[in-house]
Amino acid sequence: MSDALIDDVGLPADGSLHVVHSHELLVSSEPHPLDLLAAEAVAENWEREVGANPALFNGRTILQRRIRFSDGHLRAEGHVSSFATFLWWRRQAELAGACHLFGYPVIVASDGALIAVEMAPHTANPGQVYFAAGSLDLSDVVDGRCDIESNMRREVMEETGLDLRVSTADPVLYASYRSKRLTLLRLFSFSESADELVAKIDDFARNCPDPEISRAIAIRSGDPTLHRYGLAMLPILRWFFPDGS
């Protein structure tokens, strides 16, 4: 374990990577407590969000209430919530009342570069650079549990046009935790070079009627200043490029 303080989730909150041997991502049929307790504040914030970005869509998402990690086993308890609730929650200073868990498929080119995307101006994270990913939603729920692998395949296909099923998936699933936010990541190695993958993704985005990304980016260095990275990227870059290059 890292020397960072371990909080009640059971992991250091410094983003360091830890192997997940098993996981259970439960989804309750009950509303998320925040949907009930903060309904008025959520609605007011949503009006502001849509006023600033009319392209936002208030879809159904899975927002976690509790996450626990112990001896390599991850257990999360989530609820079907709304994107509006998530946007309001992430603006709260203490991120109280919820946790956010999402999949992070890390695409590795044949020449060792990582492939990320820059989010389009109309999205909730315009201009940010991170691995193609998104929140869990109803399509990822099977028999009351979230299928994180299905989520990764869906998000990569929707944003890049790439099919993770033709890649070589690393057998290890990792958890990277920052306060109230848990990233589940796996490496997916493709036979194409970084330039070939970037060209494929950019062509897909140009021909997509409503692209979620502006462009693909090949990452060949752990330098955190090269792009406007999403915060979840930084510990992964440090891990993948331990010497910075």
Side-chain angles (χ1 to χ4, degrees), residues 161-176:
L162 298 180
D163 188 349
L164 289 182
R165 291 173 297 183
V166 304
S167 69
T168 300
D170 189 279
V172 180
L173 182 69
Y174 296 94
S176 172

Side-chain angles (χ1 to χ4, degrees), residues 44 201 234:
E44 291 174 356
I201 296 169
L234 303 183

